[in-house]
């Protein structure tokens, strides 16, 4: 996240709200000045997060299932 966050306009973290690891990824991005949002599923994505933003970064907590990450990408 330290390398990714400064290169994107917004960061999406795939992970559970109860995941310490996922929360830290989101918090670190925000400390670096990048708006960051955590989602449990693709249905959590909000269109307004991406308005006026050209570069979107995506990362995931250690326990996030690969299937969920792929669904968010799609």
């Amino acid at each position: 996240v330290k390398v990714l966050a400064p290169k994107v306009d917004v960061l999406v973290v795939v992970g559970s709200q109860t995941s310490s690891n996922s929360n830290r990824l989101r918090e670190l991005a925000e400390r670096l000045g990048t708006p960051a949002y955590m989602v449990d599923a693709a249905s959590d994505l909000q269109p307004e997060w991406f308005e006026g933003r050209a570069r979107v970064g995506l990362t995931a907590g250690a326990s996030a299932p690969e299937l969920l990450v792929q669904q968010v990408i799609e």
Side-chain angles (χ1 to χ4, degrees):
V1 170
K2 288 173 91 174
V3 174
L4 178 62
K7 296 179 180 181
V8 298
D9 301 315
V10 63
L11 183 71
V12 175
V13 178
V14 180
S16 171
Q17 299 290 331
T18 60
S19 166
S20 177
N21 176 262
S22 297
N23 277 296
R24 296 304 161 261
L25 291 169
R26 183 189 51 76
E27 290 168 2
L28 178 56
E30 289 182 344
R31 272 190 262 139
L32 293 169
T34 303
Y37 302 96
M38 193 160 37
V39 298
D40 278 318
S43 59
D44 295 335
L45 295 168
Q46 301 296 314
E48 60 268 16
W49 296 348
F50 310 105
E51 290 175 4
R53 296 187 170 124
R55 298 170 299 164
V56 177
L58 178 68
T59 190
S63 60
E66 179 64 25
L67 176 62
L68 289 181
V69 175
Q70 290 301 319
Q71 289 172 344
V72 169
I73 290 169
E74 291 172 9

